[in-house]
Structure formats: structure tokens, C-alpha cells
Amino acid sequence: MSGDYGSYLRYWGKARTVDKGGGFHLLVYHCLDVAAAGEVLLGEQPSLVSGVADFLRVGVDELRRWLVTLLAGHDVGKFGDGFQNLRPDLLCSLQGRESRAGYDERHDTLGFRFLTERSLNPRPMGTLAGSAAAGIDPEDLRELLTPWLAATTGHHGRPPRLDLSRRPVSHHFPDSVAVDATAFLEAVTGRLLPGGAPFDLTDYRRFSRAFPRVSWLPAGLAVAADWIGSNEAWFPYRSDPIPLETYWRDHALPQARTAVAESGLVAAPASAWGGARSLFPGFDSLTPLQRLAEEIELSDYPQLFVVEELTGGGKTEAALALAHRLMAQGAADGVYLALPTMATANAMHRRVEPMFRRLFAEGSSPSLVLAHSAARLALALEDRNRAEDGPARGEDTASRQCADWLADGRKKALLAHVGVGTIDQALLAVLAARHQSMRLFGLCRKVLIVDEVHACDAYVHRLLCTLLRFHAALGGSAILLSATLPAKMRAELVGAFGQSLNVQDASPVETAYPLVTQLTVEGLREVPTEARESLRRRVAVRPLHSRDDVAAALGQVLEAGGCACWVRNTVDDALEAYQEWTERLGKDRVTLFHARFALGDRLTREKEVLGHFGPESAAGERRGRLLVATQVVEQSLDLDFDGMVTDLAPIDLLIQRAGRLKRHARHPEGNRVDDGRDRRPPPELGVFLPEPGTEADAAWFSGLFPRAAWVYENHGQLWLTARWLGEHGGFTMPEDARAMIEAVYGDDAQAAIPTGLAARTQRAEGNASAKSAQGRLNSLDLDAGYAATATHWQDDASAPTRLGDPTTTVRLAKWEDGRLVPWAQGDPRHAWQLSQLAVRKNRVAAEAQAVPEAPLAAAKAAMPDRGEHCVVVVLKRTDDGYVGTALNGRDQTVRVSYDARFGLRYLGGDEP
């Protein structure tokens, strides 16, 4: 960088308003701040560049300098008159002129247009490329560099617009401005990249394919570097001119080192691998799967593991052991655990929190972040519960302090050393959602662990396949966990990862179970393993064809002093069953658990359920108690029932539900035993189902379950499930696991579905195909690159990570002294969030027109998010409890009731 006071020092880049004290930061200094942040980020995590350098066959140092130079030009669009004229006073004082230019095009797009403009002389693009541009056709050069330039100028979370506006770029960059901007680029290029771009750009064919694919990494780097470099606390405003070289050496680089260190983005060194017991010192012995995780040979390159094992087989611990081994050998810097629901994510966070520090070297400060839409509230409530239950451990506070800023936003949470969240947060990395590149940047050096992979529907499965392809291409490894994975799904997941490894034959064939499938650049390995001995068991299935049959089965368990659960497929079915059984047993012995409780009540109910039926429950807490629940008990909680009845559901879900049946070893009266040998009678699962006759008609399932007919729409698969259970009278694990799944989901099984169910089955399969196609359509294209994805960009709140009926966030309120206050009491910082729940939008879409405007506005003003995107339902006490009104999706008034015992109920009709 030259030592003179160039005319490019006459442009402002950031400014405070007068009411905030005024002052401004020169544009070129901000550009250097961001470049310095990128320089330090890449220096602290050299592995971010090494994989791309190997792929492009260039030197690591040369590639790093190229990226830092591009970052220095990330805000070149701010030189334009449109941006500068946002502060006419500064334009006048710095340049002594006025402009009529309006800010009708964002500076990121203006910067991209400036850098790629054909007509400018000299051409900024040639300035950046330096000697590498010699002899290259200008149009070829433009096409080659577009992915890089779009990645760095599109640093606000989405690519710049590629379509040209009606105004020529000269409207925003008159000659003098273009000269100044180009002079700045010449100065930084001469200092940071004296040899020009580190590529032989005459190899047009190779780089035209390679550059788009690698553009996703610099796009994420640009977002992170700009976020750091824009923080005034780290980079104080400077308006007095000094030479660029001086600013770079004495200000930008030292401040960037401090900023990156304080940001939490410095990689924490992994601890040495010392075996699985070093991670889990409380383990007396390892399961066969966990021993395999210790011993299986690892590759030095990205690799995929698909782990299929029964619930309780130690899959999570095996996955964390594999992840630690990858970290210890330098193949990864952290972990992200992706779960199917917020409840499962919360539960996983509680499991990981005591051990995550053991993944890292002593003395390091790794961060653990819970990443989902209600994460901050969940963590606050965990702290509250600890305070209620006893003093918090010191490391709980320390583990959050180093990453507190990360928890401020879900998009930042994936940058933590260990992240736990829903799969949605990871899937947003491959959707056209703002800041998706930052998510990819956060994930690329992590081991991605996806639990309950079988729970993905056709749409989520397609997005996950895309994510695996991206993750492998950017150098990441992944571990997929499932107890019940269909062979076709496994093949598609393996194939997606294999595409980026260029593995030609990645088709799994092994049918053993449990099974670990490993894919590396060297090829595919399928390693059968043994099941955990305590999980080997026979579960008898008792067909129940009437409500009287169900009552007899549950009553038998309860009368014997045991505890039981009835899993229903819809909330309204659960409400109906709960009312029926409270009349039989009294409300003190029956608990209702479903997803239609406000968050505070749901957390209270969850704690109650764990107290009565969890792993630490004792005989006195369990005796004669019944839980009526929906699918919320399938995955999220560690529950243990003496007896269970379930409505008919797809066979993989029945296996999951049965995993909560006699889950822990106990004495017959209900207390736990330490030797792992259950003294209770062998487990029996009651299944409430229609007769699986070969002449089943279209109403075979819907006749018995009219509400659930729309929850599980493939009635042919339900019939196949009922047939298999009827023919076998139960199942033996692990021997029957693979056969059960393929008997329902395998291609050959579909031919046996009765003709009467064919139309409904075909419709369900068509819907699944449509969802898969929608997933493919919504996914980003790895090979097209960041620049080619500029259309239909959405905020992450709108980007569809799942398909289904739209939902509304409802916040429950009640009147108190003429004011609307939240339903939940307690800490006012969280009371409104604790009072919220999600409901289908066709049921509740807007506030009732009768709600007074002033109190409603005051209530929303008190909410942390100012009440955006929520519907407030005001509840009034009546003889029937608390009742409120709202408008449904057809703008009709609807009535709802709510209480902590039943949750939300729709009055005047059942939910379909």
C-alpha cells in the first residue's frame, strides 16, 4: 500500500447519527478492518483454506492472500455516489461537492457491478487479477472471477443482484470516483497480492467448473469478517487520514487479532484421543458399537458414517467418540449435533453439557451453544431450574460466557465449537436464506452429527442429501444416526455424500443389523456389529381392535401396580382419552402430554412426566399412573413404562414407541436395579388397530382413526405394518429390525397392498414425490456457485426447512387491572415466550377484532420482539374456564379454551 494520502481517503464508510454523537469512519479503513479480520480468521484456522487450496491445486499462502485482497474490496460499492449521498454533509465536507444520485441500488450490488463492469477504464477486475489476467479474454475473465467477486461483495447474507439496473454503473461511479476506487484497489493489491491472482487463468475449462463450487467458503468468510470488522468496539472510528500501510500495520491488524480472539471464533485445540472412556469416565463398560467407534480406521479426508443401532445402544456416545477422533487427527475443529425437534435438542444439550470440554485441550475455552428458535429461553429456564433445584455448577456459567454473543442469533450459533440444535438450523445452509453462507462457513470444519435420520420426511430428506453434498465438498465429515433406517434412504444419503468425493461405487448392500456404514475417498465399508446385550429382547404385540380392548390392556397393568402409557396419534384423540381415563381413575393418577401447551406449561408438564416415568422414578411415583400422550414421547424424553398401548402408526415409529416400554432394569414394584437385569415380566406392546384383512377398503384406517387419517396419509404402509405384526405376533430385537422396516418401506412390499387402499397409497406416494421434488427445487446448487443463486432469496424465518400446514405463533394473554398480561407468571423477561405455542394457521390466523387496540398495542410493545409475527389470544375467565376468540384462516371468528391441565382446545369442533 502506498504511503501517500490518496484521494480515496475522501470517502466515508460508516457514520453515527448526530443523536449518537456523530463521527465517521473512512471507507478505506473499514475495508482494511474487514480484510484484517479475514487475515486473522484464516491464520487462526488454516485448515479452512488448505482443503480449497488442494482442490484448486494452488499454494495455501497464495490462496489466503487472494481471499484477503478480495475482502479488502468487499465494500467498494460504497465509493458510489448513491451511498456517499446518504450523508450529503459528509460528501460535501470530504469531497467539496454535491450529488443528485439516489441510493436506488444497494452498495453490495453496486460493488459487484463496479468490479465486473466491461466499460470501465481501467478495469477494476484486471487490477485485482494482476498478471493472471494477461492474455485472458475480458469476458472469460469476467466469468471466471464472478463467483469470487459475488461471494465477497455479497457479504450481507445474500448474493448481489446479477441483473443490471436501468442506470449505467457510471451514474453511481462518475470518472473521478471510479479512478479513486480503482486506485484503492491498486494500493491494496500491490501490498497484499503483488503477484496477482494465484491461478493460471488460461486453464479456463478447469477453473470455470471449480470456482463456482468453492465460492461458498469465501462467501461465508466475508459475512463473518464483515460482522467482526463492523464492530465499533473492536474497530474505533477514524476520520483523520494516515497512509494505508500505517493503518494496516498499526491499527487494522492488531485490532483484528483482539477482535477475533474475543469473538470466540478462534479454533480451540482438540484434546488427545484417549479412548471413549476418557470422554465418558462414568462408563463401566462400552457397548459393541462404542468399541467399534474406538477401533475403526479413519481416513484423513472427509468421511461419512451411517450408524444403525437400537435405541439405547450408545449411538450418541459412539458418534461423539468418532468426532473426537476426527478432531484429534486434525480433520475437524468441532461438532454440530442436529436433532429432529426443539425438545430433542434441549435433551441432547443436557447430555452433552457435562462432557463437551473433554473434546478440547485443557486450558482452552470452547463454546457450547444451543441453536434453535427458542434456545435463549430454554437456556434461561435451565438456569432457573438449576437455581430451584440447587446451586449451579461453576462450569455451567463459564461455558456460556465465552460464547454469549453466539447465542444472540441462530445464524451465529453454528460458529460455536460445539453446537446443539434442530436439523432446521443446518438445513438453512443449503436454502436461499439470508446468511446461509455463514452457516456453511460455521459447519464446514465441524463433524455434522444428525440424530433420528429416519424421522426426515421426503422433503427434509432431500434437503439433507443436499447438505451432505455441500458438507463433503467443503471438507466436512458427517455421522448419521438411526434405529430404523430404510435401505433406500441409506443408499441415497451415502450417494449424496459420495458425489462430492467422486466415489464411483457407493451403493450399500449389507443387510446385517446393527451396522456401521463408512464412506471415504477410498470407497465404501459396511461393518456389522453386535447389539448391546441388555437390548436383546422379544416384544410381544397384543392386537387391540376396540376401546374396550384398550381399557382391558391398560387396566391390567395399572391394577397390578404398574405404570402405563397410551400413545395417541392426534391431540384431540389424546384429549378424548384423557377425559375418559380421569373419569375412571381420577385426575391425580392420569397425566396428559401433547404439543398444544404453552411453552411454560409444557416445560412444567415435561418435568412432571419425567418425575413419574423417567429413569430416576421410583415405585411410589410410578404405581398405578397413566400417561396419555401424543408423538412427543417418541423421541424427546427418556421414559420407562411397565405397559404401553399405541395407536397404529408406521412400523418405525412403533419401534421407537416400544423403546419406552420397560426401558430400564427394575424390580417388579418399579424401583431400579443396578445389575442391568429387568425383573419385570417380558414386555408386551398393545397396538390399537383395525383388522388387517386382505380385503381392506379405503376406510380401513380412517374408519377407526378419522382424525389420524391425515397425520399418516400412506394407509398402505400402515396396512403393511399391521400385517407384519399380526403374522409375527411381536418382534425380536435386533434380529427382526431390518426385516420389519423393509416389510413396510421396501419396494417389493408395496405390491401386497390391498386394491382398496391403492388410491390412497398412490396419492400419499405422489405427495411424497412432490415434497422430494420441492426439496430439490428449493435447494441451492453446489456446482452453480454463490453468484448464480441470487433470485428468490428469503429471510431465514421464511425459508422452508419443512413443508406442512403453516403455523401461527400464538401468545396467550389475560386481563389484569385493565391491562393485558401474559398467561405465564414469573420472570417478566420470559413471560410472553412462556405463554406462547404454535397452532395451525387455518385454526388461528389473526387477533379477534373485538380486542381493544390500545391494550393490545401496549402488550406487544412489552414483548422482546415487539409482538412481530405473533397473534395474541386474550383469555377471559368463564364458567368453562379461560376462553378466548381469534380469527381463523378464513377470517371467521373461532373460540378456544386454555388451561394448564388440558392445554389449548378448539371449541365447537374437532381438528381434522
Side-chain angles (χ1 to χ4, degrees):
M1 300 172 200
S2 62
D4 62 4
Y5 294 81
S7 56
Y8 44 69
L9 290 168
R10 303 179 301 158
Y11 298 80
W12 67 275
K14 291 189 172 295
R16 299 186 212 98
T17 57
V18 175
D19 63 307
K20 293 186 178 179
F24 66 92
H25 196 43
L26 289 176
L27 172 58
V28 294
Y29 296 159
H30 168 66
C31 289
L32 294 183
D33 293 339
V34 173
E39 167 101 343
V40 176
L41 280 172
L42 295 174
E44 291 287 348
Q45 302 188 59
S47 55
L48 287 172
V49 179
S50 58
V52 176
D54 289 345
F55 178 69
L56 296 176
R57 300 201 289 274
V58 298
V60 172
D61 289 341
E62 290 80 2
L63 179 60
R64 179 180 51 79
R65 287 198 295 270
W66 166 245
L67 289 170
V68 173
T69 303
L70 291 177
L71 289 175
H74 80 288
D75 256 352
V76 71
K78 287 186 176 180
F79 278 95
D81 275 10
F83 181 85
Q84 291 296 309
N85 203 32
L86 290 173
R87 285 292 300 269
D89 57 326
L90 293 179
L91 175 61
C92 182
S93 64
L94 288 169
Q95 300 184 35
R97 68 184 180 93
E98 296 179 351
S99 174
R100 295 182 178 180
Y103 193 54
D104 55 359
E105 196 157 28
R106 284 184 52 86
H107 66 272
D108 45 3
T109 293
L110 279 176
F112 176 77
R113 290 186 60 200
F114 176 77
L115 292 172
T116 58
E117 180 60 44
R118 303 173 177 86
S119 61
L120 289 176
N121 188 19
R123 290 178 179 169
M125 191 167 48
T127 298
L128 284 173
S131 59
I136 303 295
D137 180 84
E139 283 305 304
D140 288 346
L141 181 64
R142 184 175 188 272
E143 184 175 341
L144 285 172
L145 296 191
T146 284
W148 295 101
L149 300 178
T152 49
T153 57
H155 56 276
H156 286 288
R158 59 168 294 169
R161 281 184 25 235
L162 305 188
D163 56 311
L164 298 180
S165 72
R166 290 172 295 178
R167 297 183 185 275
V169 73
S170 59
H171 171 77
H172 297 277
F173 289 85
D175 289 346
S176 62
V177 175
V179 168
D180 288 346
T182 304
F184 168 66
L185 294 175
E186 289 173 345
V188 296
T189 303
R191 168 63 177 82
L192 299 174
L193 198 70
F199 315 107
D200 178 10
L201 295 178
T202 57
D203 192 354
Y204 171 82
R205 183 175 179 182
R206 179 166 74 90
F207 288 126
S208 65
R209 293 194 302 266
F211 284 173
R213 174 180 280 215
V214 302
S215 64
W216 303 99
L217 179 61
L221 172 67
V223 174
D226 183 64
W227 182 80
I228 292 173
S230 297
N231 190 317
E232 189 182 350
W234 290 323
F235 297 91
Y237 284 4
R238 189 178 189 98
S239 55
D240 56 309
I242 59 175
L244 294 187
E245 177 68 42
T246 302
Y247 185 83
W248 175 258
R249 182 189 64 240
D250 297 343
H251 298 277
L253 278 176
Q255 288 160 189
R257 294 187 187 103
T258 299
V260 171
E262 292 180 357
S263 73
L265 291 180
V266 177
S271 59
W273 168 246
R277 285 190 186 139
S278 67
L279 292 180
F280 309 102
F283 282 17
D284 294 329
S285 61
L286 299 180
T287 68
L289 175 63
Q290 292 161 354
R291 288 197 297 272
L292 178 62
E294 284 190 320
E295 300 164 359
I296 194 167
E297 184 178 352
L298 302 182
S299 170
D300 293 328
Y301 299 96
Q303 54 208 291
L304 172 73
F305 293 91
V306 182
V307 179
E308 299 173 88
E309 166 65 300
L310 298 171
T311 299
K315 293 189 292 294
T316 299
E317 292 77 12
L320 288 168
L322 284 171
H324 187 212
R325 290 183 61 195
L326 290 168
M327 293 166 60
Q329 72 175 28
D333 295 333
V335 180
Y336 182 74
L337 293 108
L339 286 300
T341 65
M342 286 190 289
T344 51
N346 292 341
M348 183 63 73
H349 182 270
R350 290 191 290 268
R351 291 178 65 184
V352 171
E353 189 175 27
M355 57 75 56
F356 83 100
R357 287 180 176 276
R358 300 187 191 110
L359 298 169
F360 300 91
E362 191 171 342
S364 63
S365 298
S367 53
L368 170 67
V369 172
L370 181 62
H372 59 63
S373 59
R376 286 186 67 80
L377 179 61
L379 291 176
L381 292 172
E382 283 186 21
D383 286 339
R384 184 195 70 181
N385 290 337
R386 288 193 188 99
E388 292 172 353
D389 295 341
R393 294 167 301 197
E395 82 168 14
D396 292 335
T397 302
S399 70
R400 300 219 178 92
Q401 285 178 343
C402 66
D404 187 56
W405 66 268
L406 285 169
D408 287 342
R410 287 163 285 163
K411 61 179 68 72
K412 299 170 190 172
L414 299 187
L415 297 172
H417 300 101
V418 177
V420 182
T422 59
I423 190 173
D424 306 70
Q425 300 307 316
L427 295 179
L428 282 166
V430 294
L431 291 171
R434 287 197 67 198
H435 297 104
Q436 61 74 220
S437 61
M438 194 173 182
R439 295 173 185 275
L440 277 179
F441 180 76
L443 281 173
C444 68
R445 284 290 300 168
K446 290 186 174 58
V447 180
L448 173 63
I449 301 175
V450 184
D451 200 8
E452 310 284 4
V453 175
H454 59 273
C456 299
D457 65 11
Y459 178 77
V460 175
H461 171 70
R462 181 52 52 200
L463 294 184
L464 178 57
C465 287
T466 302
L467 177 61
L468 290 174
R469 187 163 182 244
F470 268 81
H471 196 55
L474 295 179
S477 294
I479 304 171
L480 310 180
L481 309 178
S482 177
T484 53
L485 189 64
K488 182 178 180 181
M489 186 179 286
R490 174 169 57 122
E492 290 174 348
L493 293 167
V494 170
F497 197 88
Q499 273 187 287
S500 290
L501 299 186
N502 292 319
V503 178
Q504 299 303 314
D505 185 13
S507 300
V509 295
E510 179 63 63
T511 60
Y513 185 94
L515 181 69
V516 174
T517 303
Q518 180 188 20
L519 181 67
T520 69
V521 291
E522 289 84 18
L524 183 72
R525 294 180 63 199
E526 297 177 275
V527 185
T529 185
E530 294 294 318
R532 189 176 193 166
E533 189 60 35
S534 61
L535 299 179
R536 293 182 173 275
R537 64 174 186 169
R538 169 82 178 170
V539 177
V541 168
R542 179 177 175 180
L544 308 171
H545 300 301
S546 69
R547 297 180 76 88
D548 288 341
D549 291 344
V550 171
L554 293 173
Q556 184 177 346
V557 176
L558 298 172
E559 289 166 11
C563 63
C565 178
W566 185 2
V567 185
R568 309 241 53 193
N569 287 334
T570 74
V571 174
D572 287 303
D573 286 334
L575 285 164
E576 185 179 272
Y578 174 73
Q579 290 176 306
E580 173 188 334
W581 279 90
T582 52
E583 291 174 4
R584 290 171 180 259
L585 303 176
K587 63 181 181 180
D588 292 338
R589 290 177 57 191
V590 187
T591 304
L592 177 66
F593 189 37
H594 57 68
R596 217 191 287 161
F597 285 98
L599 181 58
D601 291 331
R602 176 165 175 168
L603 291 171
T604 300
R605 185 59 51 91
E606 184 176 301
K607 190 173 182 180
E608 177 187 343
V609 168
L610 281 169
H612 289 304
F613 310 104
E616 304 308 317
S617 59
E621 296 156 328
R622 300 166 58 84
R623 187 175 299 112
R625 296 199 62 89
L626 173 66
L627 177 68
V628 178
T630 59
Q631 295 90 331
V632 293
V633 299
E634 283 174 12
Q635 301 165 335
S636 57
L637 300 174
D638 183 1
L639 302 176
D640 177 12
F641 302 100
D642 300 311
M644 177 181 285
V645 170
T646 171
D647 292 354
L648 179 63
I651 202 160
D652 51 323
L653 302 186
L654 294 185
I655 294 173
Q656 288 289 114
R657 294 174 188 184
R660 273 68 186 164
L661 178 59
K662 298 188 177 176
R663 183 181 179 93
H664 300 292
R666 296 181 183 273
H667 289 293
E669 69 275 11
N671 290 320
R672 290 284 298 271
V673 297
D674 296 329
D675 60 6
R677 189 167 61 85
D678 200 329
R679 271 70 164 183
R680 292 173 291 182
E684 179 182 77
L685 178 68
V687 181
F688 184 26
L689 78 173
E691 293 277 0
T694 56
E695 302 302 319
D697 60 17
W700 172 78
F701 182 74
S702 60
L704 189 60
F705 301 107
R707 301 180 184 113
W710 304 101
V711 176
Y712 303 118
E713 59 179 350
N714 194 323
H715 296 182
Q717 290 179 349
L718 293 170
W719 183 89
L720 291 170
T721 297
R723 184 184 70 162
W724 197 94
L725 294 175
E727 290 177 349
H728 294 80
F731 48 89
T732 302
M733 289 297 180
E735 290 80 0
D736 290 337
R738 187 79 68 190
M740 292 176 72
I741 297 300
E742 295 309 310
V744 173
Y745 294 108
D747 291 336
D748 294 341
Q750 308 309 303
I753 295 172
T755 304
L757 293 173
R760 190 130 198 178
T761 299
Q762 289 167 5
R763 184 164 64 247
E765 291 173 349
N767 289 340
S769 296
K771 288 179 180 179
S772 180
Q774 189 67 40
R776 193 183 303 276
L777 180 65
N778 288 351
S779 298
L780 297 173
D781 185 344
L782 172 68
D783 297 316
Y786 190 69
T789 60
T791 57
H792 309 301
W793 216 259
Q794 306 175 73
D795 289 334
D796 59 1
S798 304
T801 56
R802 308 189 191 211
L803 296 182
D805 293 334
T807 60
T808 299
T809 297
V810 168
R811 289 188 180 145
L812 303 175
K814 57 187 177 182
W815 291 103
E816 186 176 282
D817 298 328
R819 297 180 303 117
L820 288 178
V821 298
W823 168 266
Q825 301 300 304
D827 190 337
R829 295 174 300 170
H830 307 302
W832 281 112
Q833 292 99 319
L834 289 169
S835 302
Q836 77 182 32
L837 68 159
V839 302
R840 289 167 52 185
K841 198 165 188 175
N842 67 339
R843 286 288 191 173
V844 176
E847 277 105 10
Q849 297 169 348
V851 179
E853 185 174 340
L856 179 61
K860 287 194 172 185
M863 298 176 187
D865 60 0
R866 314 292 290 182
E868 293 184 12
H869 313 300
C870 82
V871 171
V872 176
V873 174
V874 180
L875 301 171
K876 296 181 180 179
R877 185 187 292 276
T878 71
D879 293 339
D880 298 323
Y882 281 91
V883 176
T885 59
L887 298 179
N888 65 16
R890 296 182 297 278
D891 209 31
Q892 300 167 328
T893 300
V894 294
R895 297 173 69 242
V896 300
S897 70
Y898 186 85
D899 62 41
R901 181 181 166 201
F902 291 98
L904 188 76
R905 289 179 288 177
Y906 303 113
L907 302 180
D910 288 320
E911 182 181 17

